[in-house]
Amino acid sequence: YDLVVFDRIYFPDFQELKGKTTVLAYLSIGEVHGDTFEQELLSTQHALIGTRSKWNSYTVDITSKTWHRILDEQINDAQAK
């Protein structure tokens, strides 16, 4: 493939793609999946403002400083891979 997009949980072995494929990371800035550490933390911070039961996810208050820290960590994690 010329281009692949991955998320931080499910991703390929990047060694096979180096030099051949452009790799992008998907990062959701408006929602968090249920049953995750991030969801639990945001819940304690009252930073979840809605639910998406069909997708088992929650809408996040994007002005939350806790959410900003989580996003920074996710970006750094993706860049390290």
Side-chain angles (χ1 to χ4, degrees), residues 29-66:
I29 61 169
E31 71 178 332
V32 64
H33 196 325
D35 302 326
T36 62
F37 166 76
E38 294 89 354
Q39 179 266 324
E40 292 177 24
L41 177 60
L42 290 165
S43 180
T44 65
Q45 300 293 314
H46 307 287
L48 300 176
I49 57 175
T51 60
R52 299 186 62 193
S53 58
K54 181 177 180 179
W55 297 101
N56 188 28
S57 65
Y58 297 83
T59 306
V60 178
D61 174 2
I62 61 172
T63 65
S64 163
K65 293 188 185 309
T66 301

Side-chain angles (χ1 to χ4, degrees), residues 70-81:
I70 290 170
L71 289 175
D72 285 342
E73 290 171 9
Q74 290 180 358
I75 290 167
N76 291 335
D77 182 55
Q79 288 175 328
K81 293 177 176 159

